[in-house]
Amino acid sequence: MQITLLNYTELKTCAHAIRTCWQSFDKSDEGGERDKELIYRVGNKFKHASTLEHLHYTFYIQGISRATLQELARHRIASLSVKSTRYTLKELKNAESFSPLNAENLKRAEEFLVFTYNEAVDKASVMALENLRLLLQENISNDLVKFAMPESYKTELTWSINARSLQNFLSLRSSKSALWEIRNLAFALFEALPEEHRFVFEECMEGGEKNRIKLTLQERDKFKIYLEEFVKQVDRCAKIGNIKEFKIKDLESNFFDLLKGKYEVKLDVGSGRLKNDVCGIAFTRVDILGNHYANTNKPTNRQGIYIYFDYRYKDKEYYIYLGCGNETKKCKAKSFIESKNYFEGEESLDIDKILNKFLELAEEYNKIPKEDFLIL
């Protein structure tokens, strides 16, 4: 399989389309960091994905099977120009026989076929290839002969698609449940994208990117502001002895929105009165919530696996770690986390350190497969 990116739309075109709505052209930096932040925020975060349709990509895809071509055709909003069997089957007509089925002929057949590396299937494909070759030599028209083509026969195409449709394709076809060949194609297409465009698609990819926490400089500043607000509210409630004035729901909502809905956020400050000595924030992956998962439907601080910011307000110290509640049920993820030493303490409160450590732990957290959180 070989992927070549032939052409693509510059980011500034997409940014211009978005800025048309507000007539904010004067704020553009011609596809730079400011425009990239705008594209991500409007197209990905707020899901106004029609704006992403102004980004187009044209790929030359070589060496995929006709079976994968059929799957590719299910993705409607794309343009395909495919190698024609009517005009190109002469490539096989002039080939030498693939019989007998020995190592040399199997290797020759790979010029025309995508092998599955299942011996029985691959041998059957070569036999079908040889039958096709013999039919061609009988001067039967290519339009009829192609009905005898094996699904494994290689083809190539020029494929054009907009960013919104490409997001859908990558989301579905990078999944572990996708057929191996089209899954390989999904990853190859992503790798062929320009480096500066990949931020549009990273969250669509299976294997951590989907849940990956990426914060712009502005969002990093907001995260620190929300942490500082949490600390201030804890300190204020510690003085008055109760939590009546603690704006719990507002802070939880602010963190949830900032983390793009990927993490459920639970403030742990007590009920009625402030908790003794320790208050905290639990950040839990949304994709591992459910009856069959260790975190159950709703995250709690006693049951579940989460990143926990632990503020010891009497000593003005914090801990931030990836850990488990005391009542967490047995699962592979729990055993894995307990085998690691993610617990780290600091003597003094440093918001920048908290943020950097949170992002580091989030990377580790998101690498753990979803199925590892299923209750054993």
Side-chain angles (χ1 to χ4, degrees):
M1 183 187 299
Q2 183 177 343
I3 311 297
T4 306
L5 179 64
L6 299 177
N7 192 32
Y8 61 92
T9 310
E10 293 185 7
L11 291 173
K12 64 181 181 181
T13 301
C14 183
H16 185 279
I18 296 172
R19 294 192 186 283
T20 302
C21 303
W22 295 285
Q23 294 290 289
S24 59
F25 305 116
D26 58 315
K27 296 181 180 179
S28 173
D29 58 356
E30 296 297 304
E33 291 303 314
R34 184 183 296 174
D35 279 352
K36 287 170 71 174
E37 192 278 332
L38 176 72
I39 293 168
Y40 178 86
R41 175 161 44 86
V42 174
N44 284 11
K45 182 177 180 180
F46 297 142
K47 306 300 181 184
H48 295 300
S50 63
T51 59
L52 301 179
E53 293 174 10
H54 296 282
L55 289 174
H56 289 84
Y57 305 88
T58 298
F59 302 92
Y60 185 31
I61 302 171
Q62 297 171 277
I64 63 169
S65 70
R66 293 181 67 82
T68 290
L69 176 64
Q70 287 188 48
E71 291 197 320
L72 200 59
R74 294 173 188 166
H75 295 269
R76 299 282 191 258
I77 308 177
S79 300
L80 300 82
S81 296
V82 184
K83 179 182 178 181
S84 171
T85 52
R86 170 181 285 184
Y87 301 109
T88 63
L89 272 179
K90 61 184 178 182
E91 65 185 7
L92 179 62
K93 182 177 181 180
N94 300 324
E96 295 182 11
S97 174
F98 297 97
S99 294
L101 292 180
N102 54 32
E104 180 183 349
N105 284 330
L106 284 169
K107 186 174 182 180
R108 286 179 50 239
E110 278 198 279
E111 178 186 347
F112 301 97
L113 302 175
V114 173
F115 280 169
T116 64
Y117 298 101
N118 177 289
E119 185 177 359
V121 172
D122 291 342
K123 284 186 175 180
S125 290
V126 178
M127 290 170 64
L129 183 70
E130 175 61 11
N131 290 335
L132 187 66
R133 188 188 70 84
L134 293 173
L135 288 171
L136 287 167
Q137 292 188 340
E138 293 180 17
N139 292 321
I140 301 173
S141 73
N142 290 353
D143 281 344
L144 290 177
V145 169
K146 68 184 179 183
F147 282 87
M149 291 180 72
E151 288 278 72
S152 56
Y153 198 88
K154 284 182 179 179
T155 190
E156 54 193 62
L157 67 149
T158 296
W159 191 57
S160 295
I161 189 167
N162 68 55
R164 185 182 193 176
S165 295
L166 184 55
Q167 283 186 336
N168 174 258
F169 174 84
L170 295 175
S171 178
L172 294 173
R173 301 305 188 174
S174 69
S175 166
K176 292 178 182 177
S177 61
L179 182 69
W180 61 270
E181 188 185 8
I182 201 166
R183 188 167 191 255
N184 289 345
L185 174 61
F187 282 98
L189 289 167
F190 177 78
E191 291 299 323
L193 289 167
E195 184 71 35
E196 65 272 18
H197 285 237
R198 293 183 188 176
F199 74 96
V200 179
F201 306 97
E202 284 178 336
E203 294 174 7
C204 304
M205 303 300 291
E206 180 80 20
E209 293 293 353
K210 209 168 190 176
N211 293 314
R212 188 180 180 192
I213 299 298
K214 290 188 70 177
L215 300 179
T216 64
L217 290 175
Q218 184 181 12
E219 289 169 335
R220 289 171 69 96
D221 288 340
K222 282 186 178 180
F223 192 97
K224 289 186 283 188
I225 289 170
Y226 297 156
L227 279 178
E228 288 171 340
E229 178 61 25
F230 174 79
V231 169
K232 287 177 183 177
Q233 289 205 45
V234 170
D235 288 344
R236 183 168 62 249
C237 290
K239 289 182 180 179
I240 63 177
N242 63 61
I243 61 170
K244 288 182 179 179
E245 297 182 14
F246 206 121
K247 298 178 182 179
I248 295 175
K249 293 298 181 184
D250 289 347
L251 263 180
E252 287 178 342
S253 178
N254 287 342
F255 274 116
F256 181 81
D257 291 342
L258 184 62
L259 299 175
K260 305 169 181 69
K262 296 175 183 178
Y263 280 51
E264 192 74 48
V265 182
K266 179 75 173 176
L267 268 60
D268 181 26
V269 295
S271 177
R273 296 183 63 82
L274 199 66
K275 286 182 68 179
N276 290 331
D277 300 331
V278 181
C279 293
I281 308 173
F283 300 89
T284 309
R285 274 170 50 179
V286 169
D287 66 320
I288 56 171
L289 297 177
N291 287 331
H292 301 297
Y293 294 97
N295 285 58
T296 69
N297 278 320
K298 291 186 177 180
T300 69
N301 301 309
R302 289 182 305 217
Q303 181 171 301
I305 299 168
Y306 40 67
I307 298 173
Y308 194 80
F309 167 59
D310 183 347
Y311 176 46
R312 306 199 171 192
Y313 58 88
K314 289 186 178 180
D315 299 319
K316 299 294 186 285
E317 295 178 353
Y318 79 87
Y319 294 90
I320 187 162
Y321 57 89
L322 175 56
C324 312
N326 294 331
E327 300 175 11
T328 304
K329 293 182 179 179
K330 187 177 180 181
C331 64
K332 288 183 180 179
K334 180 183 179 184
S335 300
F336 171 76
I337 288 170
E338 288 177 342
S339 70
K340 300 283 186 178
N341 186 21
Y342 287 118
F343 189 82
E344 181 173 317
E346 295 290 340
E347 292 184 357
S348 60
L349 191 64
D350 185 321
I351 297 298
D352 285 313
K353 276 190 176 182
I354 295 173
L355 173 58
N356 291 334
K357 189 64 181 177
F358 171 81
L359 294 173
E360 180 185 324
L361 291 172
E363 287 285 335
E364 296 299 314
Y365 192 21
N366 293 335
K367 287 177 184 176
I368 303 173
K370 181 178 177 179
E371 56 267 25
D372 285 5
F373 292 89
L374 291 168
I375 298 170
L376 296 176

Coordinates of all heavy atoms in Angstrom, one line a residue, residues 1 4 58 65-66 76 109 129 137 160 170 192 201 207 231 267 285 288 298 346 358 371:
M1 N 0.8 -1.2 0.0 CA 0.0 0.0 0.0 C 0.9 1.2 0.0 O 1.8 1.3 0.8 CB -0.9 0.0 1.2 CG -1.9 1.1 1.3 SD -2.8 1.2 2.9 CE -3.6 -0.3 2.9
T4 N 0.0 8.8 -1.5 CA 0.6 10.1 -1.9 C -0.4 11.2 -1.8 O -1.5 11.1 -2.3 CB 1.1 10.0 -3.3 OG1 2.0 8.9 -3.5 CG2 1.9 11.3 -3.7
T58 N -6.6 15.6 -1.6 CA -6.6 14.6 -2.7 C -5.5 13.6 -2.5 O -4.3 14.1 -2.5 CB -6.6 15.3 -4.0 OG1 -7.7 16.2 -4.2 CG2 -6.6 14.3 -5.2
S65 N -6.8 -3.7 -2.0 CA -7.6 -4.7 -2.6 C -8.9 -4.2 -3.1 O -9.4 -3.1 -2.6 CB -7.8 -5.9 -1.7 OG -8.7 -5.5 -0.6
R66 N -9.6 -4.9 -4.0 CA -10.9 -4.4 -4.4 C -11.9 -4.6 -3.3 O -12.9 -4.0 -3.2 CB -11.3 -5.2 -5.7 CG -10.5 -4.9 -6.9 CD -10.9 -5.6 -8.1 NE -12.2 -5.2 -8.6 CZ -12.4 -4.2 -9.4 NH1 -11.5 -3.4 -9.7 NH2 -13.7 -3.9 -9.7
R76 N -19.7 8.1 1.5 CA -20.4 8.8 0.4 C -19.8 10.1 -0.1 O -19.6 10.3 -1.2 CB -21.9 9.0 0.8 CG -22.6 7.7 1.1 CD -23.0 7.0 -0.2 NE -23.9 5.9 0.1 CZ -23.6 4.6 0.2 NH1 -22.4 4.3 0.0 NH2 -24.5 3.7 0.4
A109 N 2.8 -13.5 -7.6 CA 1.4 -13.1 -7.5 C 1.2 -11.9 -6.7 O 0.1 -11.2 -6.9 CB 0.6 -14.3 -7.0
L129 N -6.6 -16.0 -9.6 CA -5.8 -15.2 -10.4 C -5.3 -15.9 -11.7 O -5.4 -15.4 -12.8 CB -4.5 -14.7 -9.7 CG -3.6 -13.7 -10.4 CD1 -4.3 -12.3 -10.6 CD2 -2.3 -13.5 -9.6
Q137 N -6.6 -14.9 -21.9 CA -5.9 -15.4 -23.1 C -6.8 -16.0 -24.1 O -6.5 -16.3 -25.3 CB -4.8 -16.5 -22.7 CG -3.7 -15.8 -21.9 CD -2.6 -16.8 -21.6 OE1 -2.7 -18.0 -21.7 NE2 -1.4 -16.2 -21.3
S160 N -10.6 12.1 -3.4 CA -10.7 13.5 -2.9 C -11.8 13.5 -1.8 O -12.9 12.9 -2.0 CB -11.0 14.5 -4.0 OG -9.9 14.5 -4.9
L170 N -11.9 8.4 9.4 CA -10.8 8.0 10.3 C -11.3 7.5 11.6 O -10.8 6.6 12.2 CB -9.9 9.2 10.5 CG -9.1 9.7 9.3 CD1 -8.3 10.9 9.7 CD2 -8.1 8.6 8.8
A192 N -0.1 10.7 6.0 CA 0.2 11.4 4.8 C -0.3 12.9 4.9 O 0.1 13.7 4.0 CB -0.5 10.7 3.6
F201 N -7.6 16.2 13.0 CA -8.0 14.8 13.0 C -7.5 13.9 14.1 O -7.9 12.7 14.2 CB -7.5 14.2 11.6 CG -7.9 14.9 10.4 CD1 -7.0 15.9 9.9 CD2 -9.1 14.8 9.9 CE1 -7.4 16.6 8.7 CE2 -9.5 15.5 8.8 CZ -8.7 16.4 8.2
G207 N -6.7 4.7 19.7 CA -5.4 4.5 20.4 C -4.9 5.6 21.2 O -3.7 5.9 21.2
V231 N -8.8 26.4 45.0 CA -8.0 26.5 46.2 C -8.5 27.7 47.0 O -8.7 27.6 48.2 CB -6.5 26.7 45.8 CG1 -5.7 27.2 47.0 CG2 -5.9 25.5 45.2
L267 N -15.9 17.4 42.2 CA -15.2 18.1 43.3 C -15.5 17.3 44.6 O -16.7 17.0 44.8 CB -15.7 19.5 43.4 CG -14.9 20.6 42.6 CD1 -14.8 20.3 41.1 CD2 -15.4 22.0 42.9
R285 N -12.2 9.6 32.9 CA -12.5 9.5 31.5 C -14.0 9.2 31.3 O -14.5 8.3 31.9 CB -11.6 8.3 30.9 CG -10.3 8.8 30.5 CD -9.4 7.6 30.1 NE -10.0 6.6 29.2 CZ -9.4 5.5 28.7 NH1 -8.1 5.3 29.1 NH2 -10.0 4.7 27.9
I288 N -15.1 5.5 30.0 CA -15.1 4.3 30.8 C -16.2 4.3 31.9 O -16.0 3.7 33.0 CB -13.7 4.1 31.5 CG1 -13.3 5.3 32.3 CG2 -12.7 3.8 30.4 CD1 -12.0 5.1 33.1
K298 N -21.7 6.8 37.3 CA -21.3 8.1 37.8 C -20.0 7.9 38.6 O -19.9 7.1 39.5 CB -22.4 8.7 38.7 CG -23.7 9.1 37.9 CD -24.7 9.8 38.8 CE -25.9 10.2 38.0 NZ -26.9 11.0 38.8
E346 N 4.2 17.1 46.7 CA 5.0 18.3 46.7 C 4.7 19.1 48.0 O 3.7 19.0 48.6 CB 4.6 19.2 45.5 CG 4.8 18.6 44.1 CD 6.3 18.5 43.8 OE1 7.1 19.3 44.4 OE2 6.7 17.7 43.0
F358 N -0.6 17.0 35.5 CA -1.9 16.6 35.0 C -1.9 16.1 33.6 O -2.4 15.0 33.2 CB -3.0 17.7 35.2 CG -4.3 17.3 34.5 CD1 -5.2 16.5 35.2 CD2 -4.6 17.8 33.3 CE1 -6.4 16.2 34.6 CE2 -5.8 17.5 32.7 CZ -6.8 16.7 33.4
E371 N -11.2 -1.5 27.4 CA -11.7 -2.8 27.9 C -11.0 -3.2 29.2 O -11.5 -4.1 29.9 CB -11.5 -3.9 26.8 CG -10.0 -4.0 26.3 CD -9.8 -3.2 25.0 OE1 -10.5 -2.2 24.8 OE2 -8.9 -3.5 24.3

